[in-house]
């Protein structure tokens, strides 16, 4: 029950990256600025910098993922770290090994950083609390709780298009209830000074106390919710929600909450459309919007690598990145 | 319990709400019973005199819910280890829920628990008999046989009966034998997969919630059935202000219902879950400050007539997992008294009322002549130093359960002697 932020070391530097909660605006801005510097690395002939040379990063995925794992892997490799990829979704735990056993075995291999995805809220905090003191933990998504690097890459993408965050209206649409992405996005938007954050969902996918918990405005009507907004973030709907009492059908969901060009027309003319992927076309949005001029969905993916490089190097980098013009960094 | 030693406890302040006693007086014990209060009978020669100057003397506490983990979960704790911890906490009678392995749904298991406790002699253990076979909520148990085997009450532990019809039948059959039914009011479907109060904190942390309605729906159902069947029911561990309001209203109407609260519910709230502290994983979940205040008020007024430890000792591994995957429950025997005294310190109620909620109140729910100090009653006595301070830690706890949200906190109030059946079972 320590009140001290478990993510920061005694000097206030980033040690783990578990959640946006409790991090300052300055620190989030530093992540974005660092990521800006890393964006150039992808344009170099040799796409590598030596900031994490000699470090070992283990991607510990207890839940399957392609995109997030791949971008973390690329980010670590571009920082010159050695990378282990472990998909533990079924293997170890099915054999009765506990999470802590898995952790201890990997620590014995002298891993410097765990990138963790787990289906249970609080898993990343648990691992950070029980890892060796020299090990850093990055949360790549835990249950419904947090997915802070996703939120930061979204902030990065928004900042590249909209300079002044303090004037924005942002709407997040979809399964707010079960979304770790939404929780981290809301916290990041608020911390970075976005004055109006709206969440839009049917009653079954909207937590009752969302307004009080997060200081957002809740809408049940998509048209009303996206009116005059500068950014619309669509969330993925898991298919299994249709098999419970949460939603009646994909058809009705799309009729009411699917984003179309027509429904987007009440937003600002230059509104950005975002999605953390993978998209269910025809459920969350139609292809016209997903592939349209206002969509920055693929850009989010590229930005994800730079943002993850920034967070990783801030946690375990041996030196700070000198922000230099693209192509000038050490190969 | 015959042939216990002759003991005089002198110079202490004796508080016994059941007898209306509160004052400095002496207490004399012989043959396992209270012999006299005040002056010793002429010719009484104590073998042992305890000087209780500056201490309080009260009936040994009666705890309506403490898990001992035996039989079946001895890797967590045993009847011997936990009754020893109870003695160190001033608790002389405890009622254990039937969720052992095997379940206490036959006289054999009930007797095993009762007799094992009696053999160790630290405290009186009254096993609650299961209301349904295997606690499965399908077939009712042989309640008459369980009663004869010494079960004072029936319980479903924390596995609520899903079928309203089975619940009704269990109540009706229990009524046949005058047995009270302990109910943990939590609707099974509404609490499924939940691990925290559905509210501000669970929303922020993304923890699956247990809504307030999980309790109020169950309370409403069970009150309606109690009214219909004339059964006597007891809500074990209320957690919400609305639950308390419904209880109060039903009692006004004459429904035969009583209720208790777990001690930690009077101190902790959902806000203590920050940082996913597994020691705050409790069922029913920690709720809001408003709920806590309503529970405190109800204990003070007597609508809630008992405070329990809700002791649940666990092995280390049970709490070594991400929050939702940990086992709920905490080690709570030894913090019962010092936390209780905090209620007095914080002005929630006076000392005599408080002692009543730990002695007379729970004893009357069990329908046993316990929890009082009167000539002829069993000499179950707690003598404690209300000023002694100590720090909660794995090193200071007697229980095998070491998980507590109060770890590393300083506590005021510590047991000096515990007498069970006229014998000293603990001294410090």
């Amino acid at each position: 029950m320590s009140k001290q932020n478990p993510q920061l070391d005694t000097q206030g530097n980033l040690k783990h990256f578990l959640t946006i909660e409790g991090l300052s605006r300055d620190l989030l801005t530093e992540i974005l600025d660092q990521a800006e510097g890393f964006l150039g690395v992808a344009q170099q002939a040799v796409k590598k910098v030596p900031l994490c040379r000699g470090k070992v990063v283990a991607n510990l995925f207890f839940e399957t993922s392609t995109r997030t794992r791949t971008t973390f892997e690329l980010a670590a490799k571009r920082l010159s770290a050695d990378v282990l990829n472990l998909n533990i979704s079924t293997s170890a735990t099915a054999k009765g090994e506990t999470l802590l056993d898995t952790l201890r075995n990997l620590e014995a291999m002298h891993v410097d950083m765990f990138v963790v995805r787990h289906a249970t809220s609080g898993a990343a905090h648990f691992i950070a609390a029980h890892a060796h003191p020299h090990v850093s933990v990055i949360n790549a998504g835990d249950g419904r709780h947090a997915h802070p690097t996703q939120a930061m890459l979204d902030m990065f993408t928004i900042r590249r298009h909209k300079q002044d965050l303090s004037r924005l209206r942002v709407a997040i649409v979809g399964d707010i209830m079960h979304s770790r992405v939404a929780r981290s996005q809301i916290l990041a938007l608020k911390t970075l000074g976005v004055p109006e954050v709206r969440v839009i969902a049917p009653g079954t996918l909207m937590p009752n106390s969302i307004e009080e918990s997060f200081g957002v405005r809740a809408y049940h009507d998509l048209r009303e919710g996206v009116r005059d907004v500068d950014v619309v973030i669509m969330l993925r709907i898991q298919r299994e929600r249709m098999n419970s009492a949460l939603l009646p059908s994909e058809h009705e969901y799309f009729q009411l909450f699917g984003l179309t060009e027509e429904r987007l027309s009440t937003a600002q003319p230059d509104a950005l459309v975002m999605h953390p992927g993978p998209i269910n076309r025809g459920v969350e949005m139609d292809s016209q919007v997903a592939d349209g001029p206002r969509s920055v969905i693929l850009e989010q993916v590229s930005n994800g690598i730079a943002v993850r490089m920034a967070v990783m190097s801030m946690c375990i980098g041996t030196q700070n990145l000198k922000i230099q013009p693209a192509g000038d960094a050490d190969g | 319990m015959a042939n216990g030693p002759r003991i005089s406890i002198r110079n202490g302040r004796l508080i016994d709400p059941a007898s209306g006693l509160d004052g400095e007086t002496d207490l004399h014990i012989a043959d396992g019973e209270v012999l006299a209060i005040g002056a010793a009978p002429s010719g009484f020669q104590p073998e042992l005199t305890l000087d209780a100057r500056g201490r309080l003397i009260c009936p040994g506490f009666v705890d309506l819910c403490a898990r001992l983990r035996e039989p079946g979960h001895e890797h967590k704790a045993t009847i011997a280890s936990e009754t020893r911890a109870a003695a160190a906490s001033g608790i002389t009678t405890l009622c254990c829920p039937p969720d052992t392995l095997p379940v206490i749904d036959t006289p054999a298991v009930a007797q095993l628990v009762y007799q094992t406790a009696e053999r160790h002699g630290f405290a009186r253990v009254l096993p609650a008999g299961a209301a349904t076979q295997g606690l499965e909520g399908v077939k009712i148990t042989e309640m008459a046989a369980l009663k004869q085997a010494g079960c004072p009450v029936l319980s479903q532990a924390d596995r609520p009966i899903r079928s309203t019809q089975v619940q009704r039948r269990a109540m009706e059959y229990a009524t046949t034998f005058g047995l009270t039914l302990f109910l943990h009011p939590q609707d099974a479907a509404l609490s499924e997969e939940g691990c925290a109060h559905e509210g501000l904190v669970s929303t922020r942390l993304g923890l699956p919630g247990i809504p307030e309605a999980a309790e109020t729906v169950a309370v409403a159902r069970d009150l309606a059935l109690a009214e219909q069947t004339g059964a006597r029911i007891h809500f074990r561990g209320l957690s919400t202000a609305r639950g308390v309001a419904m209880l109060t209203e039903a009692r006004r109407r004459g429904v035969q219902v009583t209720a208790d609260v777990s001690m930690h519910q009077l101190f902790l709230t959902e806000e203590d879950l920050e940082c996913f502290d597994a020691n705050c994983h409790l069922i029913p979940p920690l709720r809001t400050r408003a709920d806590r205040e309503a529970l405190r008020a109800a204990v003070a007024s007597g609508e809630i007539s008992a405070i329990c430890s809700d002791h649940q000792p666990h092995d280390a591994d049970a709490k070594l997992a991400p929050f939702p995957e940990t086992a709920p429950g905490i080690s709570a025997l030894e913090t019962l008294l010092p936390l209780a005294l905090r209620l007095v310190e914080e002005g929630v109620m006076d000392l005599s009322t408080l002692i009543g909620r730990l002695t007379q109140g729970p004893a009357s729910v069990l329908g046993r002549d316990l929890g009082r100090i009167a000539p002829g009653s069993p000499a179950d006595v707690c003598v404690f130093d209300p000023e002694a301070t100590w720090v909660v830690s794995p090193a200071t706890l007697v229980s095998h359960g070491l998980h507590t949200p109060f770890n590393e906190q300083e506590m005021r109030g510590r047991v000096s002697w515990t007498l069970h059946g006229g014998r000293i079972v603990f001294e410090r």
Side-chain angles (χ1 to χ4, degrees), chain A residues 155 168-174 176-177 181-191 194-201 205-220 225 233 235, chain B residues 200 203-204:
Chain A
M155 298 308 112
L168 294 185
R169 282 197 193 94
V170 178
I172 305 173
V173 186
I176 308 293
M177 174 81 84
V181 174
R183 285 180 173 77
S184 287
Q185 284 168 338
I186 293 168
L187 288 166
L189 289 164
K190 304 289 283 186
T191 307
V194 172
E196 191 176 333
V197 180
R198 303 173 180 179
V199 290
I200 306 168
L205 301 180
M206 182 87 88
N208 278 335
S209 50
I210 189 82
E211 292 194 330
E212 219 187 321
S213 287
F214 284 103
V216 296
R217 289 176 63 186
Y219 291 80
H220 291 313
I233 303 175
L235 300 172
Chain B
L200 293 182
T203 298
R204 224 169 57 242

Side-chain angles (χ1 to χ4, degrees), chain B residues 348-405:
Chain B
V348 179
M349 65 193 87
D350 62 39
L351 185 58
S352 177
T353 305
L354 172 78
I355 299 289
R357 302 292 178 262
L358 296 169
T359 57
Q360 179 191 18
S364 76
V365 171
L366 292 176
R368 295 285 169 102
D369 186 23
L370 296 166
R372 60 198 301 238
I373 292 177
S377 70
D380 291 350
V381 180
C382 170
V383 183
F384 65 93
D385 181 346
E387 298 304 324
T389 58
W390 61 289
V391 175
V392 181
S393 81
T396 54
L397 292 176
V398 175
S399 167
H400 281 189
L402 302 177
H403 299 100
T404 161

Side-chain angles (χ1 to χ4, degrees), chain A residues 1-4 6 21 99-100 118 120-123 125-126 130 142-145 183 187 207-210 212-214, chain B residues 193 198-209 271-272 274-277 280 319-325 405 409:
Chain A
M1 271 196 296
S2 160
K3 293 289 172 244
Q4 198 204 328
E21 194 163 7
L99 181 49
L100 218 50
H118 198 284
T120 307
S121 301
H125 274 77
F126 172 75
H130 290 89
D142 64 325
R144 309 175 185 180
H145 172 231
R183 285 180 173 77
L187 288 166
N208 278 335
S209 50
I210 189 82
E212 219 187 321
S213 287
F214 284 103
Chain B
E193 287 172 28
E198 186 178 307
L200 293 182
V201 176
S202 70
T203 298
R204 224 169 57 242
L205 296 181
L207 291 171
E271 293 161 44
D272 292 290
E274 299 289 358
C275 290
F276 298 101
D277 183 358
C280 291
K319 292 282 191 187
L320 278 178
F323 185 95
E325 294 173 8
Q409 282 194 31

Side-chain angles (χ1 to χ4, degrees), chain B residues 45 57 67 101 155 157 209 217 222 229 265 310 325 341 366 378-379 391 426:
Chain B
Q45 295 278 335
I57 304 166
R67 283 174 172 82
L101 194 70
S155 160
V217 165
D222 295 341
T229 60
Q265 291 282 1
D310 196 11
E325 294 173 8
L341 294 173
L366 292 176
V391 175
F426 178 80

